[in-house]
Amino acid sequence: MTSSSSYPQFKGQPRLPKFAIPRRYDIKLRPDLVACIFSGAVAVSVDVVSPTKFIVLNAADLAIDSDSVSFKPDSDSSKELRAVGVGLIEEDEILVLEFGDEIPTGAGVLRIAFRGTLNDNMKGFYRSVYETNGEKKNMAVTQFEPADARRCFPCWDEPAAKATFKITLDVPSDLIALSNMPIAEEKQQGDIKTVYYEESPIMSTYLVAIVVGLFDYVESHTSDGVKVRVYSQVGKANQGKFALDVAVKTLEIYRKYFAVPYSLPKLDMIAIPDFAAGAMENYGLVTYRDVALLYDEQHSAAANKQRVTIVVAHELAHQWFGNLVTMEWWTHLWLNEGFATWVSYLATDDIFPEWKIWTQFLDQTTGGLRLDGLAESHPIEVDINHVTEINEIFDAISYMKGASVIRMLQSYLGAEPFQRALASYIKKYASSNTKTEDLWAVLEEESGEPVTKLMNSWTKQKGYPVVSVKHIDQKLEFEQSHFLSSGSPGDGEWIVPITLCYGSYDVCQRFLLQTKSATLDIKESAWIKLNVDQTGFYRVNYDENLAANLRHAIQSNLLSATDRFGVLDDSFALCMAGQQPLTSLLTLMSAFKEELEYTNLSNLIAVMFSFISSKVGRIVADAAPELIGNVNRFFINLFLYPIEGFVCGLEGPVSAFMLYDLLFMVDRKLGWEPRQGESHLNAMLREELLNGLVQLGHDSTVNEAIRRFEAFLDDRSTPLLPPDIRRASYVAVMRRATKSNRAGYEALLRVYRETDLSQEKTRILSSLGSSRDPDIILEVLNFLLSPEVRSQDAIFGLAVSKEGRETAWTWLKDNWDYISKTWGSGYLLPRFVRSTISQVPFLISLSLSYDHVSTITVSGLFSSYEKAKEAEEFFASRMKPSIARTLKQSLERIDINAKWVHAVQKDERLAKVVQELAQGN
């Protein structure tokens, strides 16, 4: 093979040169699942667009057979050109083929033979390990997004280089071999069979998929005849039935919504034991983590059921938005992920309207707002100049902000015009590639609104505005400014779709705020709410009178659940940024004492738990010991209303433990066990309440949780520990675990080792770090690096107690070389940095969230400038492109927390206001 130094002209380029364009791939692969290697050959039909001696394509981690490389022009089938130079430029993952004679323009066929390894990195063509009848076996799996098809076969590995694919596999005859298309023919010779698949429609390389192993499946059909199957490990077929039902219903929904049928004859979905992402939308063969596809009636929680629904709906949305119509380059990734996220909620709401999923969608919006409130955020559209930069943009901006600005645009244009425009867009660009501007043009033509001008301000610059509004002399004065969580000024300006209502949802108005400020004539009204139903991606800062009127509207239950959520979330963000005092946030929270909605109760509980367990809460206690009693009394009064049968009128001193007792009484409304016919949302709320109580150390809850865990050890089918409360029991066990009292910890590890349910393993991993003993925490963290934990799952164990944070930080530094080597080439390394150094401030997740990969924590945050400096110094000599943005964001979050702590210390009114709130509710 020629030295890569021979081709300097091709180095360091963001895109492949356009000497030749692929039209069709004929790929033959022979994986060896014992030796974990594979061999292959590819014949690529190409169009040579300009005379050249070079063909340049992508390849990585492949051994190219130089003697096999040839090109045969269609214009002269007797002429075969042989390569005189074959160079692999490893740092750019490109393969340069040099020919002695100039290749003429026109069609021809490029042939290459190659060999590779079924790697353990969960990308490219890799192996996943599963167990059947007590024996460990390997399966072969592909994961090509964003740019890893090149690790399986040489190709033009860019989204715009669409082609058709004809795939042939040589595999052991006793195994099932799946690909994007149905099987056309099988031929068996001894213990090897050759499987020929139908040729695919035109698609991008990152959507090609192959899976080989032993599987069971369940099957159904859509009304228009599409065969749908869910594959799982042998013996787990029943766990695929729920996802199968969701998939069939979702395909029907999308067929009607996009006015275009699903374009392949079959859809397979398969659970993969080792899988780095949450799921992958490969055309016709969608791959998932077990936890994102399988649902067990006996052992899966309500949160698992909801996650499976949303993830399946997300991946199937890609069959239209991403697979049929594909982004031109990774700059436009959000076209795939933002739309799939948004439309997955549309489908989920159609299937399960009782889940009130659009209210829960606010978690997506809030996730986007929090990340985009950082100076180290990035625009929705990001220039990608090297393959190493792609993974970092699979984040809350592409998914959550992307979905939220789509929802904002749909709300502005109207649901029906928006749907008609999307259907037109899909039909116009089917089997093609698009840029963001193409979508705006179709929406603009359909609606007559200035969509391009409006949306460019949201996709081409980072951040978002806070709209400050004042009521002066029968006028509303609006002023937008760039919101940053640090409180620092920004320089962004947006075209903002303003919606507002006056005293009633029957009296609403909308306009575009196209300048920095504007005024609006209004009549007197009891209250005014901007950003109606939180459809806009911006925050609102009300003047004192408007804020007071909104608090009264919340107290009187005049605002929708989504608007109540938005008012609280904006106030919290403004408080963190130093634009409102903590006293304003606490005063607003007092208006929620009659709150009954799941999403808002969950939000309030998270704020309350984070407050009392954070450094801010400790500052309050240290500054004025009597103040913490008033804070607890305030929270107690706040949560009295949801308690059935609880008699108000507390007397005597209020201790910290009264808060926990209150929450215990709140939970009495739900109980430990599911009730006949209870709602999905109540099951979710029970999980959050009990998790919170044990995390906070409420003795009677911890004791009951441990009692139920002990019954579970004797009988894994006991009704005393249903799935929705298992994590609470596991956390309770770990809170009591110490170096000298290890029985519960070891029993929990035994449950982990015995179960074959991925959701159960994840629950246990996310609980192990709850111990308050640093020695146990260190054991847990070391356990994450052991072969007993699948590498994709290690991040779940990083959720450690506040007593364990310093231990976790030291552990990360001590093991960084190994962690960086093991997880450094994919999605997961940034999670180690983010989970150990910082978390999204304050609104702390108490259960598994539903994005593709998520972690859980109730840990306190690093919130000192010294800690930020320590982290920065450690990573100064260990920087990788894949963690550069994540590290900067983590350090910025530490700085934001330190500033907030400093602001609270200087708040002279805090004691007085808290006392008034405690006495006045």
Side-chain angles (χ1 to χ4, degrees):
M1 185 174 291
T2 307
S3 169
S4 63
S5 61
S6 302
Y7 306 110
Q9 69 269 39
F10 300 121
K11 288 187 175 182
Q13 301 300 312
R15 305 282 291 268
L16 291 170
K18 299 296 191 292
F19 299 140
I21 298 171
R23 299 303 183 192
R24 179 183 187 270
Y25 290 83
D26 192 333
I27 303 167
K28 185 167 185 176
L29 295 169
R30 186 184 182 99
D32 183 331
L33 275 66
V34 177
C36 292
I37 56 176
F38 65 92
S39 59
V42 60
V44 191
S45 300
V46 302
D47 286 339
V48 178
V49 296
S50 60
T52 178
K53 286 189 175 184
F54 297 97
I55 292 181
V56 183
L57 63 164
N58 294 111
D61 302 333
L62 295 176
I64 305 297
D65 181 354
S66 300
D67 294 336
S68 72
V69 179
S70 68
F71 184 87
K72 183 177 288 189
D74 286 359
S75 59
D76 186 356
S77 59
S78 64
K79 182 179 182 181
E80 184 176 69
L81 303 178
R82 310 298 298 186
V84 298
V86 178
L88 189 62
I89 303 178
E90 293 184 3
E91 61 269 29
D92 294 318
E93 300 181 347
I94 64 173
L95 178 65
V96 181
L97 307 178
E98 182 182 2
F99 294 85
D101 296 326
E102 191 172 75
I103 303 173
T105 58
V109 177
L110 174 68
R111 298 181 186 277
I112 308 172
F114 52 89
R115 300 183 310 280
T117 300
L118 294 175
N119 66 74
D120 291 321
N121 299 325
M122 294 184 290
K123 68 178 187 178
F125 202 13
Y126 73 94
R127 72 160 184 161
S128 178
V129 180
Y130 64 106
E131 192 170 301
T132 179
N133 297 323
E135 181 183 358
K136 287 189 175 181
K137 292 181 177 290
N138 296 323
M139 68 173 69
V141 184
T142 57
Q143 168 59 36
F144 291 163
E145 191 183 31
D148 292 309
R150 63 192 68 181
R151 287 176 167 77
C152 183
F153 57 94
C155 58
W156 280 258
D157 204 8
E158 297 181 355
K162 283 190 166 185
T164 62
F165 293 83
K166 183 75 172 68
I167 294 175
T168 304
L169 300 178
D170 287 338
V171 299
S173 57
D174 61 331
L175 300 183
I176 291 175
L178 303 173
S179 189
N180 305 85
M181 298 298 291
I183 294 172
E185 183 183 5
E186 284 190 12
K187 294 180 180 178
Q188 187 163 334
Q189 289 185 327
D191 58 358
I192 296 293
K193 64 181 177 182
T194 301
V195 185
Y196 303 87
Y197 297 90
E198 295 178 14
E199 187 163 337
S200 77
I202 188 171
M203 66 181 184
S204 303
T205 50
Y206 79 89
L207 296 169
V208 175
I210 295 164
V211 181
V212 181
L214 282 174
F215 309 106
D216 280 344
Y217 66 87
V218 288
E219 178 181 310
S220 186
H221 291 80
T222 63
S223 62
D224 58 343
V226 177
K227 181 190 294 184
V228 184
R229 287 180 175 178
V230 175
Y231 286 86
S232 61
Q233 292 179 52
V234 174
K236 295 187 176 183
N238 284 339
Q239 295 178 28
K241 288 182 176 179
F242 176 74
L244 179 67
D245 181 61
V246 168
V248 170
K249 291 176 179 176
T250 299
L251 288 176
E252 303 279 8
I253 292 167
Y254 291 160
R255 177 166 56 88
K256 294 176 183 176
Y257 188 82
F258 294 123
V260 173
Y262 173 69
S263 54
L264 299 186
K266 62 95 174 176
L267 172 70
D268 293 332
M269 306 193 300
I270 185 166
I272 306 297
D274 299 283
F275 200 76
M280 176 59 210
E281 65 267 20
N282 313 299
Y283 221 168
L285 176 55
V286 185
T287 45
Y288 297 79
R289 281 191 181 205
D290 286 3
V291 296
L293 184 66
L294 304 182
Y295 177 77
D296 186 295
E297 290 286 351
Q298 184 176 356
H299 297 290
S300 298
N304 299 129
K305 187 175 190 177
Q306 183 168 301
R307 186 187 182 204
V308 167
T309 303
I310 293 174
V311 175
V312 167
H314 180 109
E315 302 310 321
L316 298 197
H318 279 308
Q319 306 301 306
W320 284 262
F321 241 103
N323 299 7
L324 185 60
V325 180
T326 311
M327 63 200 167
E328 191 276 337
W329 181 238
W330 298 105
T331 293
H332 309 282
L333 172 69
W334 85 280
L335 279 177
N336 281 15
E337 301 304 345
F339 263 91
T341 300
W342 171 77
V343 83
S344 69
Y345 278 75
L346 184 146
T348 299
D349 185 58
D350 194 301
I351 299 170
F352 296 108
E354 68 276 14
W355 289 1
K356 301 181 181 179
I357 204 67
W358 282 116
T359 302
Q360 295 187 61
F361 179 85
L362 296 180
D363 291 332
Q364 297 287 328
T365 302
T366 298
L369 289 167
R370 287 184 193 145
L371 180 53
D372 211 27
L374 300 180
E376 292 294 343
S377 182
H378 63 82
I380 284 178
E381 295 184 69
V382 184
D383 288 333
I384 298 296
N385 296 310
H386 197 273
V387 66
T388 58
E389 300 172 1
I390 300 173
N391 276 337
E392 272 207 301
I393 63 169
F394 282 81
D395 64 2
I397 301 300
S398 296
Y399 286 77
M400 297 177 178
K401 181 180 180 180
S404 297
V405 298
I406 289 162
R407 183 171 180 250
M408 177 173 68
L409 182 59
Q410 185 221 25
S411 175
Y412 176 72
L413 298 179
E416 290 187 10
F418 189 78
Q419 180 180 354
R420 287 197 304 270
L422 286 187
S424 298
Y425 171 80
I426 293 289
K427 289 176 182 175
K428 181 175 182 178
Y429 291 106
S431 301
S432 301
N433 294 87
T434 62
K435 299 180 179 180
T436 300
E437 292 78 11
D438 297 318
L439 176 61
W440 297 159
V442 174
L443 285 162
E444 194 164 297
E445 182 180 354
E446 182 71 36
S447 67
E449 295 285 349
V451 175
T452 301
K453 181 181 178 182
L454 164 65
M455 295 308 294
N456 279 349
S457 72
W458 294 94
T459 64
K460 294 186 181 299
Q461 64 177 332
K462 66 183 177 182
Y464 57 88
V466 53
V467 178
S468 298
V469 57
K470 298 177 182 178
H471 187 191
I472 302 175
D473 298 331
Q474 305 299 307
K475 292 181 182 292
L476 280 182
E477 295 184 357
F478 304 88
E479 183 175 1
Q480 65 161 299
S481 59
H482 187 165
F483 178 83
L484 289 171
S485 298
S486 64
S488 302
D491 56 6
E493 189 170 310
W494 291 261
I495 299 176
V496 188
I498 299 291
T499 55
L500 63 160
C501 52
Y502 309 88
S504 164
Y505 287 99
D506 295 327
V507 185
C508 294
Q509 190 170 350
R510 73 172 194 170
F511 69 95
L512 288 179
L513 179 60
Q514 302 191 57
T515 56
K516 188 171 180 61
S517 60
T519 60
L520 194 67
D521 293 329
I522 64 163
K523 296 180 180 180
E524 287 294 333
S525 61
W527 51 269
I528 297 171
K529 171 66 175 63
L530 269 68
N531 196 8
V532 179
D533 282 332
Q534 296 305 113
T535 56
F537 193 78
Y538 57 91
R539 298 199 182 277
V540 182
N541 191 359
Y542 298 92
D543 70 22
E544 287 190 17
N545 288 334
L546 291 174
N549 291 341
L550 277 176
R551 286 197 301 273
H552 183 266
I554 291 170
Q555 287 173 326
S556 303
N557 199 28
L558 298 176
L559 297 188
S560 67
T562 51
D563 279 331
R564 296 196 301 274
F565 183 104
V567 172
L568 177 61
D569 192 60
D570 285 350
S571 180
F572 176 73
L574 291 164
C575 179
M576 285 279 297
Q579 296 185 30
Q580 285 185 5
L582 179 59
T583 50
S584 294
L585 174 62
L586 294 174
T587 301
L588 174 63
M589 289 179 69
S590 70
F592 285 81
K593 64 181 180 180
E594 296 186 2
E595 184 60 61
L596 291 173
E597 286 284 340
Y598 159 76
T599 303
N600 286 327
L601 276 172
S602 175
N603 194 12
L604 283 164
I605 291 167
V607 172
M608 180 177 64
F609 287 159
S610 59
F611 179 86
I612 65 173
S613 63
S614 72
K615 190 168 183 178
V616 171
R618 296 195 294 275
I619 286 170
V620 170
D622 292 342
E626 73 283 358
L627 185 58
I628 197 66
N630 284 329
V631 170
N632 288 330
R633 182 186 293 274
F634 162 64
F635 283 137
I636 288 169
N637 288 332
L638 178 62
F639 282 88
L640 283 177
Y641 185 79
I643 303 169
E644 292 181 352
F646 183 72
V647 180
C648 303
L650 295 170
E651 298 179 358
V654 179
S655 70
F657 287 99
M658 290 186 71
L659 173 60
Y660 310 150
D661 289 334
L662 166 72
L663 290 174
F664 178 65
M665 288 182 283
V666 172
D667 195 61
R668 283 171 57 189
K669 176 181 179 181
L670 298 170
W672 279 87
E673 296 161 10
R675 300 184 181 182
Q676 186 72 27
E678 78 170 4
S679 72
H680 170 81
L681 295 179
N682 271 357
M684 302 256 288
L685 184 58
R686 174 187 296 107
E687 181 179 23
E688 293 210 15
L689 281 168
L690 288 173
N691 281 334
L693 284 165
V694 296
Q695 290 279 7
L696 293 171
H698 182 258
D699 280 339
S700 59
T701 303
V702 171
N703 290 337
E704 177 63 12
I706 292 175
R707 183 186 75 83
R708 289 171 178 265
F709 175 72
E710 290 170 348
F712 178 69
L713 291 177
D714 293 333
D715 176 9
R716 301 296 164 84
S717 300
T718 179
L720 289 175
L721 202 65
D724 287 321
I725 66 171
R726 283 186 195 167
R727 185 168 181 270
S729 282
Y730 299 161
V731 171
V733 167
M734 290 308 302
R735 281 190 62 83
R736 295 275 174 87
T738 64
K739 192 174 182 179
S740 59
N741 181 23
R742 303 172 51 85
Y745 170 45
E746 291 173 354
L748 195 52
L749 285 179
R750 189 165 65 251
V751 175
Y752 176 89
R753 288 164 177 147
E754 291 173 359
T755 184
D756 66 347
L757 187 71
S758 295
Q759 290 168 351
E760 186 79 331
K761 286 184 179 291
T762 299
R763 266 196 292 267
I764 295 170
L765 287 174
S766 67
S767 307
L768 291 176
S770 301
S771 172
R772 291 170 291 177
D773 187 330
D775 290 329
I776 295 293
I777 292 295
L778 184 58
E779 282 192 44
V780 168
L781 293 170
N782 288 332
F783 176 68
L784 301 180
L785 304 183
S786 74
E788 293 191 72
V789 178
R790 292 186 186 271
S791 59
Q792 82 224 13
D793 293 334
I795 55 169
F796 292 107
L798 299 174
V800 301
S801 64
K802 62 179 181 289
E803 294 88 353
R805 288 197 67 79
E806 281 293 343
T807 300
W809 170 228
T810 301
W811 170 84
L812 182 74
K813 291 185 290 184
D814 290 345
N815 292 278
W816 179 252
D817 289 345
Y818 175 80
I819 291 169
S820 179
K821 180 180 178 182
T822 304
W823 287 275
S825 61
Y827 300 100
L828 299 179
L829 186 63
R831 309 275 173 171
F832 281 86
V833 176
R834 190 181 307 125
S835 298
T836 309
I837 297 177
S838 76
Q839 294 288 343
V840 175
F842 250 39
L843 292 186
I844 294 169
S845 171
L846 298 174
S847 63
L848 278 172
S849 58
Y850 315 117
D851 56 1
H852 282 207
V853 182
S854 49
T855 52
I856 333 166
T857 180
V858 291
S859 307
L861 298 165
F862 285 147
S863 52
S864 71
Y865 300 113
E866 295 77 15
K867 188 59 66 177
K869 189 172 186 298
E870 181 184 334
E872 189 171 15
E873 289 176 351
F874 174 77
F875 283 105
S877 61
R878 298 169 176 85
M879 187 56 62
K880 282 175 167 278
S882 61
I883 65 167
R885 194 190 303 273
T886 296
L887 180 61
K888 291 177 181 178
Q889 291 168 351
S890 297
L891 295 175
E892 185 179 352
R893 286 188 175 116
I894 297 174
D895 185 68
I896 289 167
N897 284 312
K899 286 181 178 178
W900 192 34
V901 166
H902 185 63
V904 171
Q905 286 174 318
K906 296 193 302 181
D907 192 342
E908 296 177 354
R909 297 182 61 245
L910 185 60
K912 180 181 178 182
V913 170
V914 169
Q915 184 176 6
E916 291 173 353
L917 289 172
Q919 295 173 350
N921 278 351

